Amino acid sequence: MANAKKLQERVALPRTAWIFADFLILFLLVALLSRRAASLREEHGPISTSTSTTWLPALALACEAWFTFVWLLNMNGKWSPVRFDTYPENLPDEQELPAVDMFVTTADPALEPPVITANTVLSLLAVDYPDAGGKLACYVSDDGCSPVTCYALREAAEFAAIWVPFCRKHGVAVRAPFMYFSSAPEVAKGHEFLERYSFMKSEYEKLVTRIENADERSILRDGEFAEFIDAERRNHPTIVKVLWDNSKSKTGEGFPHLVYVSREKSPEHYHNFKAGAMNVLTRVSGVMTNSPIMLNVDCDMFANNPQVVLHAMCLLLGFADETQSGFVQAPQKFYGGLKDDPFGNQMEVIYKKVGGGVAGIQGLFYGGTGCFHRRKVIYGVPPPDVVVKHEITGSPSYKELQTKFGSSKELIESSRDIISGDVLLARATESISSRVEVAKQVGACSYEAGTCWGQEVRLLLLAIAVFSFVGFATVNTWSISCSLSESSSFSYFLQIGWVYGSMTEDILTGQRIHATGWNSALLDTTPPAFLGCAPTGGPASLTQFKRWATGLLEILISRNSPILGAIFRRLQLRQCLAYLIIHVWPVRAPFELCYALLGPFCLLTNHSFLPKVSDEGFRIPLALFLAYNVYNLMEYKECGLSARAWWNNHRMQRITSASAWLLAFLTVLLKTVGLSETVFEVTRKESSSTTDGGGASTDEADPGLFTFDSSPVFVPATALSILNVVAIAVGAWRALAGTATGVRGGPGMGEFVCCGWMVLCLWPFVRGLVSRGRYGIPWSVRVKAGLIVSVFVHLCTRN
């Protein structure tokens, strides 16, 4: 590079005190396990006369061993945090900066209002980048095939003609119009600016009005949208419309190309949700602009930092070895979030603590949005050290490229250019409008047949994989080894594109990249690079958690499991363990549910699983309970959050485990045995306006209150709430009546505390049992939960 100045710096963050706290809690967990194991040996000893339920302490031991394992995973993930400082002022001349294709995905105009998508697109069109009109292009994938969405984008393109110059002239800091106009103008900039500000705000309000009042039938009467006539959401040909072609603009008008894409849908073809849409965008952009760098964002994740692309370039170009930045991921942050995160979905502490720690291993996970990819990495090109080690030279043959990428001659040629490794390839000089028909060809739902796009995940029985590792089931061991060895062969194509077969295609695709040998870099800028809309309300939050957990478990028990990636491929052991932090979310559900049931069981049956207050062993669980909660509280305080935010997130973790994670675990279990299929559920995004600051809807008395519907996801947590209340009542009555006096092994203070703590954690459900309307639990859920509780109580007391 012409400029030898430093572009980025990796800074290790000290955490000596936290490491001491990690080991303190680990010591208490081990002490609890040792005490439990010793108690079991005494009960089964030759002189034992205990008639208590022998399986109870064994089950408690199994759960506590699992909790210790999860704690070790978290210790590994948080062990060596880093941050990356970037210096965009040191970037080379514009001729040396690569072009970038920016992808925006939307799937449902009802759940993801077009005005949100339009704001995200406008923020991307206005980012700072040298020769932005010639080096940037924005592609919007609409899986809803909505003429209203396309109309909104066309209107946004017209507004961009005045919005982008306004942003650049006046140095606008936030370039999503709805966010910018939600605050007062900067009076100090003078009268001329205030006049222009008022004009732009008026034009934006007109834009919003046109989009929100758009009628589909009226739009279809416009000949420009004739392709949408008779098009059904799940049955239509590929639609590609160039809404702004910068090559036809005058010099100095430059803002990026804007292309609308709705891939072909057919009832005869499976479409692979967002992963399929991303692969179509990759191919369409490959034949139209073929930029070596690709950015993807969700439709509600606008560019909050106008220099975000420049900061990303510091990480993509700033390492001596490009292996260190196979992709660059920005942490997900949210705007207008509810105070103290009542639904536990803003995940600030997870990103700062676990995300920063994982960034110090092999790199942050791919989060599905706010990520810059090298196109050649998405195409399966291995890291440079692998190319050198295995003496891979030259480019693949045309026939091999055709087999891997499909039959499009234009896509084959563009992929050859990318694979050649020249990151500074000049963009095509011809108009992108002339490539529309080619783009439609590669967007067909049958295009991927017989190619390497996606390579769907194949589920395995986890037990077979485990036994294989210890030498049993030799036939299965051989098949797994051969399968992974073939997929790990050192060629240009390990897998191409976003990987299919999981609800969390983002995690799976990023894991595949890490397993190839690439690292990723963390892009955490001030102000934040991107801001998105956090789901609000109980149904939306739990739907999102269930979708994530379902996809993560699908990966864990597939041939793309991080465990197998560490054994057979190039995924580092510590990175594998870091991935397991999130992959075991749904597996935690049965263990945490079993442990949560021990307290009610003991109160109902007059048993105990924890030491009495008078026992010396009581100090261990008490110290562990206090140390763990203080540890987590201090994490939130260090991140600048309140004690209430800590409690809300702690509470939501209990609720999520007993509802969304549990249903995800059962869903994948049924899918594995062929009794069910997973269904992709889109999370609702709240529509933004000119004046609300982008926050959630405020038409409710308290938007932080939990809302309910008749979804099955609420049944387990409702049942657990009822059960704990009943157990406390029965236990208290027995204690007051004196029926437990003198009975060895009866419940003590520990069991009452466990049930009381669960009631506090599940308080939104307890309140929902006595509330009405949206804040009340529907009777269908109450009846199902009541039946489950009745069965449990009957099984507990039948003897």
Side-chain angles (χ1 to χ4, degrees):
M1 271 184 204
N3 195 328
K5 292 183 180 179
K6 179 167 58 177
L7 296 179
Q8 59 79 32
E9 182 179 10
R10 176 186 167 118
V11 180
L13 305 177
R15 61 182 306 270
T16 305
W18 287 108
I19 291 177
F20 174 79
D22 288 340
F23 277 108
L24 173 62
I25 294 177
L26 178 62
F27 170 78
L28 291 172
L29 284 166
V30 173
L32 182 64
L33 290 176
S34 301
R35 183 82 181 185
R36 184 77 68 187
S39 175
L40 273 174
R41 284 197 299 270
E42 290 176 5
E43 290 189 10
H44 291 278
I47 61 173
S48 174
T49 59
S50 173
T51 59
S52 64
T53 306
T54 56
W55 58 264
L56 198 60
L59 182 58
L61 176 64
C63 293
E64 289 158 359
W66 171 259
F67 300 152
T68 305
F69 171 69
V70 171
W71 183 254
L72 287 169
L73 292 180
N74 280 276
M75 281 183 63
N76 168 74
K78 298 176 182 178
W79 189 264
S80 51
V82 301
R83 74 168 189 266
F84 292 91
D85 295 336
T86 52
Y87 308 100
E89 65 275 8
N90 294 338
L91 282 168
D93 297 335
E94 64 180 64
Q95 291 82 3
E96 297 184 57
L97 292 177
V100 182
D101 288 334
M102 304 178 291
F103 301 156
V104 180
T105 53
T106 183
D108 189 324
L111 298 178
E112 300 170 329
V115 69
I116 288 182
T117 305
N119 270 279
T120 297
V121 168
L122 286 168
S123 73
L124 294 174
L125 295 179
V127 294
D128 292 333
Y129 202 67
D131 188 22
K135 289 196 170 184
L136 300 181
C138 183
Y139 296 82
V140 180
S141 169
D142 176 20
D143 259 9
C145 192
S146 168
V148 177
T149 300
C150 187
Y151 169 81
L153 293 174
R154 187 194 69 175
E155 296 299 302
E158 294 180 2
F159 178 73
I162 57 174
W163 172 246
V164 174
F166 172 79
C167 290
R168 292 176 180 166
K169 179 179 179 180
H170 298 287
V172 172
V174 180
R175 298 184 181 180
F178 83 96
M179 184 64 73
Y180 177 67
F181 293 122
S182 66
S183 58
E186 300 169 86
V187 179
K189 288 190 175 181
H191 179 70
E192 181 183 352
F193 166 77
L194 292 177
E195 285 187 344
R196 192 62 181 169
Y197 174 92
S198 298
F199 170 75
M200 292 301 303
K201 184 174 182 179
S202 174
E203 291 300 307
Y204 173 66
E205 289 172 344
K206 293 176 184 177
L207 170 69
V208 172
T209 300
R210 290 197 300 272
I211 293 174
E212 292 183 342
N213 295 336
D215 177 68
E216 184 170 319
R217 286 176 295 181
S218 299
I219 292 173
L220 292 179
R221 286 196 287 269
D222 186 335
E224 186 177 348
F225 301 95
E227 292 174 272
F228 291 94
I229 298 176
D230 297 328
E232 300 175 9
R233 179 176 177 180
R234 294 179 176 84
N235 188 15
H236 63 85
T238 303
I239 299 175
V240 178
K241 299 186 73 64
V242 178
L243 301 177
W244 173 256
D245 185 348
N246 186 67
S247 64
K248 296 181 179 179
S249 64
K250 299 177 182 177
T251 303
E253 277 188 349
F255 67 89
H257 303 294
L258 179 59
V259 182
Y260 171 90
V261 180
S262 185
R263 57 183 171 139
E264 182 184 10
K265 293 285 189 70
S266 170
E268 287 76 36
H269 290 84
Y270 190 68
H271 302 293
N272 296 297
F273 310 123
K274 183 179 175 181
M278 291 301 302
N279 282 336
V280 169
L281 285 180
T282 302
R283 294 195 297 270
V284 168
S285 63
V287 300
M288 297 187 86
T289 49
N290 200 37
S291 299
I293 305 298
M294 303 182 295
L295 161 67
N296 89 276
V297 297
D298 289 341
C299 66
D300 65 316
M301 190 72 64
F302 68 85
N304 181 64
N305 188 329
Q307 292 196 320
V308 59
V309 182
L310 298 174
H311 284 284
M313 288 303 145
C314 291
L315 295 172
L316 289 165
L317 306 178
F319 291 97
D321 181 4
E322 68 177 5
T323 303
Q324 300 301 314
S325 56
F327 64 87
V328 173
Q329 175 68 56
Q332 291 190 37
K333 299 184 179 182
F334 304 97
Y335 62 84
L338 298 175
K339 184 180 179 181
D340 296 327
D341 192 14
F343 302 108
N345 51 24
Q346 296 176 26
M347 299 182 294
E348 289 186 53
V349 174
I350 290 179
Y351 272 110
K352 287 183 180 179
K353 294 295 185 177
V354 179
V358 174
I361 309 175
Q362 204 174 343
L364 188 61
F365 314 138
Y366 169 37
T369 183
C371 186
F372 291 83
H373 293 276
R374 297 182 189 271
R375 187 182 288 268
K376 69 177 183 180
V377 173
I378 291 296
Y379 283 177
V381 176
D385 63 319
V386 176
V387 175
V388 172
K389 178 179 178 181
H390 295 269
E391 300 181 352
I392 302 175
T393 58
S395 298
S397 66
Y398 183 92
K399 184 176 182 180
E400 184 179 4
L401 289 170
Q402 186 178 44
T403 302
K404 305 297 183 181
F405 287 89
S407 59
S408 170
K409 178 181 178 182
E410 291 80 3
L411 182 60
I412 291 172
E413 293 302 325
S414 69
S415 64
R416 188 193 297 276
D417 292 338
I418 291 296
I419 292 169
S420 68
D422 185 1
V423 77
L424 302 175
L425 287 169
R427 299 176 70 110
T429 55
E430 62 180 304
S431 166
I432 63 170
S433 300
S434 65
R435 293 295 188 99
V436 169
E437 292 305 316
V438 177
K440 290 181 178 180
Q441 176 192 347
V442 299
C445 54
S446 60
Y447 183 82
E448 295 180 354
T451 70
C452 287
W453 288 98
Q455 290 196 15
E456 184 172 357
V457 173
R458 291 177 240 170
L459 297 182
L460 302 171
L461 288 176
L462 185 59
I464 293 178
V466 171
F467 283 129
S468 299
F469 300 151
V470 296
F472 297 103
T474 55
V475 173
N476 288 310
T477 305
W478 174 256
S479 63
I480 293 172
S481 298
C482 290
S483 173
L484 286 162
S485 296
E486 288 176 1
S487 64
S488 304
S489 61
F490 294 107
S491 66
Y492 276 113
F493 314 104
L494 302 176
Q495 283 176 325
I496 297 176
W498 275 254
V499 186
Y500 297 152
S502 170
M503 301 285 280
T504 50
E505 77 297 319
D506 44 9
I507 293 292
L508 178 55
T509 301
Q511 183 182 294
R512 184 266 295 180
I513 293 171
H514 283 138
T516 307
W518 293 95
N519 289 8
S520 58
L522 171 64
L523 177 65
D524 196 1
T525 63
T526 303
F530 302 95
L531 289 179
C533 176
T536 58
S541 299
L542 293 181
T543 293
Q544 185 180 68
F545 287 129
K546 177 178 177 289
R547 184 176 72 238
W548 289 345
T550 300
L552 292 168
L553 186 55
E554 287 173 335
I555 298 171
L556 182 63
I557 63 173
S558 76
R559 70 186 184 96
N560 286 299
S561 167
I563 299 172
L564 300 180
I567 294 173
F568 296 104
R569 301 184 66 182
R570 305 187 71 212
L571 189 66
Q572 296 177 15
L573 176 60
R574 286 192 60 206
Q575 186 74 8
C576 166
L577 296 176
Y579 270 110
L580 289 179
I581 294 174
I582 58 173
H583 282 309
V584 300
W585 279 354
V587 184
R588 288 170 57 175
F591 289 96
E592 294 184 10
L593 177 62
C594 285
Y595 209 72
L597 291 175
L598 291 180
F601 175 85
C602 290
L603 292 182
L604 292 171
T605 61
N606 203 30
H607 289 97
S608 68
F609 77 102
L610 292 171
K612 300 293 190 297
V613 175
S614 58
D615 295 343
E616 289 186 6
F618 182 76
R619 300 173 186 175
I620 297 174
L622 176 62
L624 179 59
F625 176 79
L626 294 175
Y628 176 79
N629 284 292
V630 169
Y631 177 98
N632 282 282
L633 175 60
M634 290 301 101
E635 283 192 320
Y636 277 79
K637 298 298 287 184
E638 186 180 72
C639 293
L641 302 176
S642 66
R644 184 61 181 270
W646 160 75
W647 171 250
N648 287 339
N649 278 265
H650 176 82
R651 179 193 68 183
M652 276 304 300
Q653 186 172 344
R654 303 283 76 76
I655 292 173
T656 302
S657 175
S659 54
W661 290 355
L662 181 62
L663 260 66
F665 179 83
L666 296 175
T667 297
V668 177
L669 183 64
L670 293 175
K671 178 181 177 180
T672 304
V673 298
L675 297 180
S676 176
E677 283 294 330
T678 52
V679 177
F680 188 87
E681 299 168 279
V682 178
T683 306
R684 177 178 293 276
K685 277 77 174 180
E686 300 294 339
S687 181
S688 50
S689 69
T690 305
T691 59
D692 65 5
S697 175
T698 57
D699 59 348
E700 301 172 359
D702 184 354
L705 286 178
F706 223 82
T707 57
F708 301 90
D709 58 26
S710 57
S711 169
V713 76
F714 293 110
V715 174
T718 303
L720 197 57
S721 304
I722 298 173
L723 178 62
N724 278 277
V725 172
V726 170
I728 291 174
V730 171
W733 173 82
R734 182 181 285 121
L736 292 174
T739 57
T741 303
V743 178
R744 183 177 184 273
M749 181 62 69
E751 285 73 23
F752 279 99
V753 170
C754 284
C755 291
W757 191 255
M758 285 303 301
V759 170
L760 289 176
C761 290
L762 297 170
W763 190 252
F765 286 78
V766 177
R767 185 175 54 226
L769 289 170
V770 296
S771 300
R772 297 180 179 179
R774 298 180 62 227
Y775 303 107
I777 298 174
W779 277 105
S780 60
V781 175
R782 301 186 198 193
V783 170
K784 294 172 185 176
L787 290 174
I788 294 173
V789 172
S790 299
V791 171
F792 182 84
V793 172
H794 172 71
L795 293 175
C796 290
T797 59
R798 63 178 179 175
N799 293 327

